[in-house]
Amino acid sequence: MAGAPDTTPAPPAPIRRGVRPATFAGAGYPVAVRIDLHSHSTASDGTQSPTQVVRAAADAGLDVLALTDHDTDRGWAEAAEAAAEVGIELVPGIEVSTLHHGRSVHLLAYWPDPDHPPLRDALEEIRASRRARVPVMLALLAEHGIELSEDDVARASVGTSAPGRPHVADALVERGVVEHRGEALARYLQPGGPAWVPRTGIELVDAVRWIREAGGTSVVAHPWGRSARDVLGRDTFAALAAEGLAGIEVDHQDHSEQDRRDLRRLADELDLVVTGASDHHGRGKRGHALGCHTTHPEEYQRLRARARRLG
Ligand code: AMP
Ligand code: FE
Ligand code: FE
Ligand code: ZN
């Protein structure tokens, strides 16, 4: 009709590669923005340097990537530089190794100040316990006739400040004892295995609080993926939410379709953010390609709104 106002909705904003999504966040992230909130570099147990991970993320068509190495922020500066070069948004993160009722629980911290004293001290304590654990694993392997030296493990851990089972596993691969990291873990290093050494760590609820105090926000990583499932039910999530937990990583390779449906419902009930991510480790973990799971832009906006200290 001539003269009538045009009520046709505006077409969705085009995705402009090379433009940091934060620059048009005010109008909401276009739905097609691809966001992966969990990845690892050689700063912990990934096989790619922070620069390589960021470049691979851009090549995979991601617009936002969180680098979340275990218990360290060591990769952040390098990753931020690479992200600026390729034009993607980098979320500085840390996957903190915590314990809840004695079970290992991984907690993703986003945008925290890593120098906030309680958080900094906790991360240092975890890294010290990681370093102390390596010789114990080696002694147990020796009891089973496998001679591996600390130098062998050091060679497999160049660049990392959080040595762990994956590096011992890589040293076993290098020695020709096993074919790949997963086999080493399954045969020797998993709970109940001949060289299994439990990790000491900080309490989950303390970590949630320290991350919040450090200006960041937290998401429980793959809560039902491994051994911690039975200690991570509704009551625990409700208690953690009261301490400042922002979300649950729902879409993850280690979760079944049913897990995802149940976790999504739980998140909905508790008003927690739902995230999805690859948990990419380079060649270190099969089936975790960058972008294989992603976080919805609206959920990402909610997550950002929970952090006091962005960038
Ligand atoms: P740690 O923190 O030293 O106990 O090592 C745990 C890490 O080992 C996890 O973050 C994973 O990256 C890795 N991991 C555990 N199981 C496997 C597996 N089956 N295949 C590959 N990586 C694994
Ligand atoms: Fe890992
Ligand atoms: Fe994890
Ligand atoms: Zn991870």
Side-chain angles (χ1 to χ4, degrees):
M1 207 191 299
D6 183 2
T7 53
T8 316
I15 300 303
R16 292 165 293 168
R17 302 285 322 149
V19 175
R20 296 184 64 188
T23 60
F24 50 100
Y29 282 72
V31 169
V33 166
R34 297 187 71 230
I35 301 163
D36 186 339
L37 292 179
H38 187 164
S39 71
H40 296 264
S41 73
T42 47
S44 64
D45 60 348
T47 59
Q48 295 163 299
S49 70
T51 301
Q52 289 171 328
V53 176
V54 168
R55 289 187 181 158
D59 290 345
L62 290 168
D63 301 284
V64 180
L65 176 77
L67 183 71
T68 53
D69 277 304
H70 297 285
D71 308 314
T72 183
D73 64 328
R74 182 185 263 201
W76 287 9
E78 185 186 320
E81 210 168 291
E85 271 167 29
V86 297
I88 68 173
E89 178 172 319
L90 180 82
V91 177
I94 302 171
E95 187 174 15
V96 184
S97 303
T98 77
L99 295 172
H100 186 59
H101 294 297
R103 303 288 185 76
S104 167
V105 177
H106 288 176
L107 183 68
L108 293 159
Y110 296 112
W111 301 286
D113 173 2
D115 295 323
H116 176 68
L119 182 62
R120 183 195 62 208
D121 294 351
L123 293 171
E124 183 45 47
E125 182 186 326
I126 299 168
R127 293 193 299 261
S129 88
R130 286 182 164 284
R131 290 190 293 271
R133 180 172 169 235
V134 171
V136 184
M137 289 192 260
L138 297 185
L140 286 171
L141 284 169
E143 279 178 25
H144 287 81
I146 297 167
E147 294 295 335
L148 207 60
S149 70
E150 289 198 41
D151 278 351
D152 293 330
V153 179
R155 270 194 297 278
S157 342
V158 175
T160 187
S161 49
R165 292 183 291 151
H167 306 98
V168 174
D170 289 349
L172 288 169
V173 175
E174 200 53 41
R175 272 296 176 97
V177 177
V178 289
E179 300 254 327
H180 56 84
R181 191 185 270 192
E183 186 188 345
L185 280 147
R187 276 177 60 184
Y188 300 105
L189 303 169
Q190 294 290 44
W196 160 246
V197 180
R199 199 171 37 70
T200 57
I202 59 172
E203 287 297 318
L204 172 61
V205 65
D206 290 333
V208 168
R209 202 169 47 245
W210 292 329
I211 291 162
R212 176 172 53 76
E213 288 168 2
T217 195
S218 58
V219 169
V220 178
H222 45 71
W224 292 355
R226 296 229 170 94
S227 60
R229 179 189 198 112
D230 45 329
V231 297
L232 290 176
R234 191 183 197 288
D235 292 350
T236 298
F237 280 117
L240 295 173
E243 292 291 342
L245 180 78
I248 304 179
E249 187 180 59
V250 171
D251 291 309
H252 184 282
Q253 287 295 81
D254 291 354
H255 289 155
S256 69
E257 288 298 326
Q258 186 64 49
D259 290 343
R260 295 177 201 190
R261 276 194 293 275
D262 292 349
L263 283 168
R264 205 169 248 110
R265 191 173 326 117
L266 205 56
D268 197 42
E269 282 169 24
L270 298 171
D271 197 27
L272 290 166
V273 174
V274 168
T275 70
S278 65
D279 200 358
H280 176 77
H281 282 67
R283 281 176 290 100
K285 229 177 196 182
R286 293 168 175 204
H288 290 252
L290 282 164
C292 66
H293 295 293
T294 54
T295 296
H296 193 283
E298 278 170 17
E299 297 297 302
Y300 179 59
Q301 297 253 48
R302 290 177 67 208
L303 186 67
R304 283 177 66 93
R306 298 293 298 269
R308 272 187 288 120
R309 183 184 168 281
L310 293 175

